[in-house]
Amino acid sequence: MSNSVPLLCFWSLWCCFAAGSPTPFGPEGQLADELHKPKAIQTEVKPSVRFNLRTSKDPEHEGCYLSLGHSQPLEDCGFNMTAKTFFIIHGWTMSGIFENWLHKLVSALHTREKDANVVVVDWLPLAHQLYTDAVNNTRVVGHSIARMLDWLQEKDDFSLGNVHLIGYSLGAHVAGYAGNFVKGTVGRITGLDPAGPMFEGADIHKRLSPDDADFVDVLHTYTRSFGLSIGIQMPVGHIDIYPNGGDFQPGCGLNDVLGSMAYGTITEVVKCEHERAVHLFVDSLVNQDKPSFAFQCTDSNRFKKGICLSCRKNRCNSIGYNAKKMRNKRNSKMYLKTRAGMPFRVYHYQMKIHVFSYKNMGEIEPTFYVTLYGTNADSQTLPLEIVERIEQNATNTFLVYTEEDLGDLLKIQLTWEGASQSWYNLWKELRSYLSQPHNPGRELNIRRIRVKSGETQRKLTFCAEDPENTSISPGRELWFRKCRDGWRMKNETSPTVELP
C-alpha cells in the first residue's frame, strides 16, 4: 500500500465528519434499522460476522468456524466448555485483511493459556468501509457476539465469567456493545486503544464503559495527533492506563512529525503508536517474569513530576493481561513509562531534591542530569525533566526511569550541564542570565537526595559525599552516597511493600 493512501483515508474520514454520512451519524443507527426491517429482508442482509476458533499458534492454520445453533463444530474443534474463552475483536480496516498483530496475539494467548478457547471475531466485510459506516456497524457486530455468548450459555459447564473479550481500536467498542447486550455479565473486557472519533464524550451506552463487564481495563497509546485523537482520551474502564502519557510512544518517532511526513513514513508512525497497545498486551502474556507496573495519578503532568509512585490503597497495578481486578467507585487513571520494544518494562524512581541558595538568585532553570549506580548495573546519564520550574529553598520532585534493573542503589552523581547542548538550553541560559545580570555566579546547594523505587516501594536517602561541599553550579557535579534506608519523615511509618 502506498504511503499516500492512509493520508487520503484520514482526509476522507475528516470529510465524512464535516459532510455527514449516508447512515445515521452515530453508532446506534444501523442496529435499529436491522431490527425493524421486514423478516424476509432481514434474512437476506445478515451481518457478515464469523467466529473462528483458533486451534493452533500457526497463523496459516485456518481453525474452525463456529455457527450459532450448531453444536457439532464445538465438538469437532474441541471447544473446552470449562476453560477460559477469549474473543479477539479487530477494528476498522483499510486493507480488508487481518493484520500481523492479530496472529501474534493469538499465539501469545495459546502460549499463556494452553487449554483456553481463542476465538477470532471476523467482521472484516463490515469493518472494511468508510469509517463512519464501520462505526455504525459496531452495534450489529456486538449484537452478534452477544447472541453467540447467549447460545453458549445454554451449554453445560460454560460460564460467562470465564469469557474475556479483547477489542482493538473500533473492536473495543464492539466488545462494549457485546457486554451490554449479552444476558448476564461478561468476566472481563480489555480495550486496546479504543477508537476516539465518534466515541469521545459519547453516552456510556454508545461506547465501551465499566458497566459492560465485571472488569474493564483499557490501554491508551495514541490519544493526540494533529488535533485528532485516533484513540479515545477519556477514561472508559475501571482502570485506564496511559503508557508514556498515552501519546508519544518511544520508538515510534511521532515526536518528529514533520520529518515523518517529509520522508513519507507518517503511516508507519501512526500505526506504531495506535498498535502499541496490542504489543503491550502481548508482552504481558509472554514476559511474565518482566511485568510492567502502572501508578494511579490524576494527570500526566503530575506523573512526570514523579509525584505518583505509591502502591498504597491499590494505587498501582500490573498492566495488560496481568492487571488485578479493581472495581472502584471512581475510575482509576494510571500511568507508566516503557521501553521502545519488548520487554517493555522499565524501573521507575521518584527523586526528592531539596534545592536551596544562600543568594537571592531569582528565577533559574538549571539543566540537571543524574547517573545511578547500583549493585547490578549503572544507569545511563538521565535527564531530570523539569515540568514547570525549579523551586528554590523547597523540595522538588522528579521522575527518572531506567531500562535495566540496577539492583540496590549505592550512589548518585548529579550534574549541572554547563555548555548548552541545544538552542532551547541556550535560550534558558540567556533568559536566566538576563533575569539576574548583576549576579552571573549561579550556585545552588543540595545536601541530600531521597529516592523511592516504584517497583519495590523501597525508600532510600543519599547524602552529599562531602558534607562541607554541597554547592553545584553549571559544568560541575555532586556525588551522593546512600546514608540510610527510608526517609525518616514525620507521620510516615508504613513499611516497604513489594508489588505482587
Side-chain angles (χ1 to χ4, degrees), residues 289-316:
D289 59 329
K290 298 181 180 66
S292 293
F293 297 105
F295 303 88
Q296 186 175 324
C297 207
T298 53
D299 59 60
S300 180
N301 268 353
R302 282 180 62 83
F303 182 73
K304 287 178 183 177
K305 290 179 185 177
I307 295 173
C308 308
L309 286 190
S310 173
C311 284
R312 297 180 63 229
K313 298 182 179 178
N314 293 321
R315 289 186 186 139
C316 66

Side-chain angles (χ1 to χ4, degrees), residues 51-62:
F51 298 91
N52 183 210
L53 177 64
R54 294 298 178 100
T55 55
S56 169
K57 298 179 188 178
D58 184 359
E60 300 300 322
H61 191 274
E62 191 177 60

Side-chain angles (χ1 to χ4, degrees), residues 145-162:
I145 296 171
R147 287 197 302 152
M148 173 61 73
L149 290 173
D150 288 340
W151 176 64
L152 288 172
Q153 286 187 87
E154 297 173 3
K155 309 296 178 184
D156 292 337
D157 300 323
F158 183 85
S159 170
L160 206 57
N162 285 335

Side-chain angles (χ1 to χ4, degrees), residues 405-421:
D405 180 5
L406 305 182
D408 296 331
L409 296 185
L410 301 174
K411 59 183 179 178
I412 299 172
Q413 180 188 32
L414 175 69
T415 304
W416 184 342
E417 183 185 75
S420 298
Q421 302 296 315

